[in-house]
Amino acid sequence: MPWPSAAIPAETLSPATRVALYVPAKVYELGVRLRMALYETAYLKPRQLSKPVIAVGNLTVGGTGKTPLVEYIARYLTDESHETVILTRGYGRTATARARVILNDGQPLPDWSLAGDEPLMLARRLPDVKIIVGADRYANGRFAETTYGCDVFVLDDAFQHLQLARDLNILVLDATDPFGNGELLPFGRLREPLYALRRADAIVVTRTDRTFDQEHLLSVLAACDVTAPVFFAYHDIVGVHELGTRRAQAQRSLIGTPLGVFSALGNPTIFEDDLANLGANLVFKKQFPDHHRYTAADIAALVADARAAGVQRLVTTEKDAVKVENFDFGGLPVSVVEIKTMFDEEVGLKSLLLRTIVRKKGKFYRR
């Protein structure tokens, strides 16, 4: 059942608005619970691919760090000589949801508007990994199996994609707001009730370099009978490059100079805080909705406001860079920050990934 990609801030809701939203919110909740029950009771059965499927997703709307984790997993499996294919829906693109777009197949990369901002970003970061974009991930997986002979699939944003069976279900939780106040959309940030946590085979808690209540997080998992292993991760700034030319820049170039930051993310404040923690002097901030389609007017207004604030350089993310690199910033330099997922202890997760592949191969060969 479709719903807006963000919760409505509770403090903005009048009592009359809450009353008006109560019935549609309950209808949404009923639809979610019914769908979960149909799969849990095997009335609806997910379709199977012959190759291992590793799914990455979250329980809440907004940015939790799924895409950097997808990159981490795909890079690691590729380095271990496993032919890896990423299957993703590709939000925000102009092509129809079911239209198949393939990246890194030997052809020039398409425009982001056809593939989506995150798939194109991943394709640039992972040139040796094929990325197939489209809503029907089973059909796209079958296409990859017969066309490329891949070894493993990584599904992006797929915790709720119950139509496709997975061999490892990784749930990503944001340490700073793991459960979205416990309420479903639109009054909270949950896509599903908390008992959906039990579907996870592994949990990755991101942004653990920030202050968070680890005891509370673990107690909620225990109360929901979650027995999956929990891994703690954070995001680190690992590089900076110039927009357009992609020429590398020193991280210290972001320190001291009056900077303006702009982004269209699920959680843009986290990105701004990362820059501030690096020592960046942020004198101007501009946030756009997640997956925003920038226009020339947006950029013109952005540049004008940034110059008025005394900005000498703009900073943005790789996800935004693929959408704005062809715009004219009027001579104002733009730097692109590269983010990477890091783990406090990654041996356990890597072992789990490899065991998943070996286990699926064993089942396949015994047939």
Side-chain angles (χ1 to χ4, degrees):
M1 179 179 296
W3 202 268
S5 60
I8 302 172
E11 63 272 13
T12 68
L13 293 176
S14 66
T17 302
R18 290 190 68 92
V19 170
L21 287 174
Y22 179 81
V23 171
K26 286 301 178 182
V27 170
Y28 170 73
E29 179 179 351
L30 177 62
V32 169
R33 291 180 182 273
L34 176 61
R35 179 172 179 267
M36 291 173 64
L38 290 174
Y39 279 101
E40 289 172 353
T41 58
Y43 186 85
L44 292 178
K45 295 184 179 180
R47 292 180 290 182
Q48 298 270 350
L49 293 172
S50 64
K51 303 300 182 183
V53 174
I54 297 171
V56 177
N58 58 8
L59 203 60
T60 58
V61 294
T64 58
K66 297 185 304 297
T67 303
L69 180 60
V70 167
E71 179 192 341
Y72 172 94
I73 292 171
R75 186 184 301 279
Y76 171 67
L77 295 178
T78 301
D79 289 345
E80 291 294 312
S81 300
H82 295 289
E83 189 72 24
T84 305
V85 171
I86 295 174
L87 301 178
T88 181
R89 191 181 189 283
Y91 289 98
R93 62 194 186 121
T94 56
T96 60
R98 299 182 72 85
R100 178 185 298 150
V101 177
I102 306 170
L103 297 88
N104 293 343
D105 62 342
Q107 301 299 316
L109 289 175
D111 184 77
W112 78 268
S113 62
L114 295 177
D117 47 16
E118 289 171 342
L120 183 55
M121 179 190 73
L122 285 170
R124 289 181 173 180
R125 297 275 291 175
L126 301 166
D128 297 325
V129 176
K130 291 181 178 63
I131 300 170
I132 305 182
V133 185
D136 192 339
R137 279 170 265 196
Y138 172 76
N140 291 341
R142 291 289 298 136
F143 172 82
E145 288 177 337
T146 57
T147 306
Y148 305 122
C150 59
D151 296 321
V152 58
F153 293 105
V154 179
L155 271 60
D156 181 25
D157 195 11
F159 196 72
Q160 287 78 33
H161 190 72
L162 305 181
Q163 301 97 311
L164 183 58
R166 65 283 318 276
D167 301 282
L168 183 65
N169 212 17
I170 301 177
L171 176 64
V172 184
L173 298 178
D174 180 349
T176 64
D177 187 15
F179 309 115
N181 81 2
E183 289 196 74
L184 289 173
L185 291 163
F187 301 122
R189 295 179 57 239
L190 286 177
R191 297 179 176 185
E192 301 178 271
L194 282 177
Y195 67 81
L197 288 162
R198 296 198 295 265
R199 289 206 310 273
D201 300 309
I203 293 175
V204 173
V205 183
T206 60
R207 298 170 181 146
T208 57
D209 55 332
R210 301 170 184 274
T211 301
F212 74 104
D213 191 340
Q214 180 175 332
E215 182 178 349
H216 171 70
L217 187 152
L218 295 177
S219 68
V220 172
L221 295 180
C224 293
D225 296 322
V226 176
T227 59
V230 179
F231 303 96
F232 296 97
Y234 59 95
H235 299 131
D236 200 9
I237 295 176
V238 295
V240 182
H241 65 257
E242 184 179 61
L243 181 70
T245 67
R246 300 184 63 80
R247 185 169 58 242
Q249 298 175 322
Q251 288 193 32
R252 63 177 178 273
S253 66
L254 302 181
I255 301 175
T257 302
L259 299 179
V261 56
F262 72 96
S263 62
L265 306 172
N267 194 338
T269 303
I270 293 292
F271 175 57
E272 295 166 0
D273 289 347
D274 285 341
L275 289 172
N277 291 336
L278 186 67
N281 177 23
L282 301 179
V283 299
F284 173 77
K285 302 175 184 179
K286 178 64 177 180
Q287 299 177 356
F288 294 89
D290 196 15
H291 300 290
H292 179 68
R293 181 180 296 276
Y294 292 95
T295 66
D298 289 334
I299 301 304
L302 172 69
V303 170
D305 292 342
R307 289 192 184 281
V311 167
Q312 296 181 18
R313 178 185 299 272
L314 286 169
V315 183
T316 192
T317 71
E318 289 182 285
K319 175 179 171 179
D320 293 284
V322 302
K323 296 183 289 188
V324 302
E325 58 192 0
N326 293 323
F327 286 110
D328 180 9
F329 283 83
L332 190 62
V334 182
S335 294
V336 182
V337 174
E338 304 164 12
I339 302 291
K340 183 179 180 180
T341 296
M342 313 289 281
F343 283 87
D344 293 333
E345 192 281 313
E346 60 184 351
V347 174
L349 177 61
K350 289 181 174 179
S351 176
L352 184 59
L353 294 171
L354 295 180
R355 290 202 311 270
T356 298
I357 296 175
V358 171
R359 184 171 61 246
K360 180 62 173 275
K361 285 184 175 179
K363 290 180 180 179
F364 181 74
Y365 291 139
R366 286 196 297 270
R367 290 178 180 175

